[in-house]
Amino acid sequence: MEENIKCELRQGKELAKQLHGQIFSSSSSSTSSPSSNSSSHEANEVLIDKILLSIEKAITMVKDNVGNFETKNVNLIGSHCSHGSPKSEVQDSEFKHKHVSKKRKTMPKWTEQVKVYLGTSSEGSMEDGYSWRKYGQKDILGAKFPRGYYRCTHRNAQGCLATKQVQKSEEDPMIYEITYKGRHTCIQSSHLNKPHSSKSNLKFGQNNSQLNQQIQPQEEKIQPTSQEKISTFDNKEDIFSSFNFSSPSIGSQNGDTNIFLETSVENKFMVNENNNNIFSESNVFTLSQFDWESIDLGPSESDISDIISYPNSVIDYSIDLDIFNNFNFDMDFSSNIYEL
DNA sequence: TTCATTTGACCAAG
DNA sequence: CTTGGTCAAATGAA
């Protein structure tokens, strides 16, 4: 059974390599830019579908294989951030949703855990580079803190449907779980210059005494370095969209994905090493440099949850195959993303 | 006056 | 019916 899982993953890897080749083959042959013609575009989409299918299959197998998968999932998620958190509850239900209910999955959705360091001088903001408008707050059953509902400020002006939900972690008051739904299709002026000028962002937490008792209001100067972000993508689309396998036209809609496409971003690939929350160093990672050969699922030995870490002359990355267990892909977008 | 937040009501899904 | 998500009137801040 485990072999089948690996087989599926290998197949997915092969397909991903093919896709990578299709996208970037033109650069080696000094021809036009990638995915410039529609036929290769369609071929790419086919490949992506196949990759997703393979991963989906593998996940299903893992789930079947591990009877207590969901329990394990909860623990793993908790281990991501060394503070157990009610995030697990959300994740769990969302996971069930994905596999049981096939309804309404149009919006990409992912969760970030943002840790706010109260000790520093520049904390207290949920700054993420976008301006949000709060439109509701709700007490959630079983949760100690209410959940805040935000939508993009430019919803009316630009029809941007991005929303987010913010909830304080019960276990660690310094952690906020932010669930984003939908991607920004708006042009955020704060993105063009400094993301820190958003009034609504700066105001976050000022009025909600229950949610923000310990958070001091900030006047200016919000540095994302005072936050630690842990992102978990809740559906398969997000895994790939964050790597920007999608076409440049999609990437140009000014989202965070755009940053990935156009610049060599410094990422931190977090490694869930022995579930002990040990992170790798910050690495330069660009898709065009990605070496698919280095991802080796291992011919026979080793547990699927073993960590694979291959130093490489160009990049140095570590990927924990547990991402296939809990179906999360954790990334830490370093602060300089927002400076772009 | 304008724009954001608060908060109870409403609605849809389960 | 319960619950999560959204609406919209009231309220507040600039």
Side-chain angles (χ1 to χ4, degrees):
Chain A
M1 183 48 121
E2 190 174 305
E3 270 311 308
N4 291 335
I5 297 169
K6 287 181 180 175
C7 180
E8 280 299 333
L9 291 174
R10 269 189 223 108
Q11 191 175 330
K13 174 193 160 188
E14 279 304 316
L15 291 165
K17 280 164 62 180
Q18 283 182 39
L19 177 63
H20 178 260
Q22 283 199 21
I23 293 175
F24 292 104
S25 60
S26 55
S27 62
S28 60
S29 59
S30 72
T31 49
S32 57
S33 62
S35 60
S36 55
N37 63 68
S38 58
S39 62
S40 72
H41 202 127
E42 288 171 14
N44 292 348
E45 286 179 356
V46 170
L47 276 175
I48 289 171
D49 285 341
K50 288 180 179 176
I51 293 166
L52 294 176
L53 187 64
S54 280
I55 293 175
E56 196 73 48
K57 278 186 190 173
I59 288 165
T60 306
M61 289 183 207
V62 170
K63 191 186 171 191
D64 293 342
N65 226 6
V66 185
N68 58 346
F69 173 77
E70 284 171 6
T71 307
K72 186 179 175 184
N73 186 29
V74 168
N75 294 334
L76 286 171
I77 290 165
S79 73
H80 274 308
C81 68
S82 71
H83 314 269
S85 77
K87 172 187 182 50
S88 54
E89 191 181 317
V90 176
Q91 288 285 327
D92 199 26
S93 64
E94 282 168 358
F95 180 83
K96 285 175 191 165
H97 241 81
K98 177 168 42 193
H99 286 269
V100 176
S101 167
K102 304 232 187 282
K103 334 177 44 177
R104 192 144 57 107
K105 286 269 299 175
T106 54
M107 287 282 214
K109 181 179 168 185
W110 65 98
T111 303
E112 266 186 11
Q113 286 193 337
V114 176
K115 184 166 185 170
V116 180
Y117 295 102
L118 297 171
T120 70
S121 61
S122 54
E123 77 296 357
S125 158
M126 312 310 293
E127 180 61 61
D128 56 11
Y130 293 99
S131 52
W132 301 93
R133 175 175 180 158
K134 189 172 186 176
Y135 65 88
Q137 178 170 302
K138 207 62 192 160
D139 285 319
I140 300 303
L141 190 72
K144 205 150 97 187
F145 302 103
R147 178 180 299 165
Y149 297 90
Y150 299 78
R151 65 165 61 106
C152 179
T153 306
H154 307 103
R155 184 187 186 93
N156 293 331
Q158 300 182 37
C160 179
L161 296 177
T163 63
K164 73 172 179 181
Q165 300 173 5
V166 179
Q167 189 160 14
K168 195 174 185 175
S169 166
E170 286 182 42
E171 315 259 339
D172 188 338
M174 284 161 51
I175 290 181
Y176 289 82
E177 288 142 20
I178 306 179
T179 299
Y180 294 90
K181 290 181 182 173
R183 297 190 176 278
H184 284 271
T185 57
C186 60
I187 309 290
Q188 299 255 349
S189 57
S190 60
H191 249 123
L192 299 176
N193 301 315
K194 270 275 187 184
H196 309 316
S197 56
S198 161
K199 191 165 106 189
S200 59
N201 272 321
L202 292 175
K203 287 201 68 164
F204 178 87
Q206 286 191 355
N207 299 325
N208 189 332
S209 58
Q210 189 180 6
L211 199 66
N212 301 280
Q213 301 146 340
Q214 311 156 21
I215 298 196
Q216 326 253 352
Q218 286 297 302
E219 296 77 37
E220 252 309 313
K221 175 70 180 346
I222 308 298
Q223 291 289 345
T225 49
S226 64
Q227 299 169 11
E228 195 174 282
K229 291 189 179 183
I230 297 177
S231 307
T232 54
F233 296 95
D234 291 334
N235 57 24
K236 58 194 176 190
E237 291 89 345
D238 296 306
I239 293 176
F240 293 95
S241 59
S242 59
F243 277 102
N244 229 340
F245 282 148
S246 50
S247 68
S249 60
I250 296 176
S252 66
Q253 62 184 210
N254 181 31
D256 22 351
T257 58
N258 206 14
I259 296 168
F260 269 98
L261 181 69
E262 295 176 352
T263 60
S264 172
V265 178
E266 274 211 333
N267 293 325
K268 276 194 241 171
F269 268 56
M270 282 189 273
V271 177
N272 182 14
E273 199 167 82
N274 301 325
N275 297 338
N276 267 338
N277 194 31
I278 298 172
F279 302 130
S280 68
E281 295 295 319
S282 178
N283 303 310
V284 175
F285 178 91
T286 59
L287 184 58
S288 59
Q289 292 174 321
F290 198 87
D291 182 4
W292 294 98
E293 288 299 334
S294 297
I295 295 186
D296 192 350
L297 297 169
S300 57
E301 40 73 49
S302 87
D303 191 334
I304 192 166
S305 62
D306 282 348
I307 293 163
I308 295 172
S309 178
Y310 287 88
N312 180 297
S313 60
V314 181
I315 57 172
D316 182 356
Y317 57 89
S318 302
I319 295 177
D320 181 1
L321 277 187
D322 265 331
I323 63 171
F324 293 115
N325 278 351
N326 58 28
F327 206 68
N328 296 328
F329 203 101
D330 292 347
M331 302 179 75
D332 186 1
F333 302 127
S334 56
S335 58
N336 55 349
I337 287 178
Y338 300 113
E339 306 293 331
L340 296 172

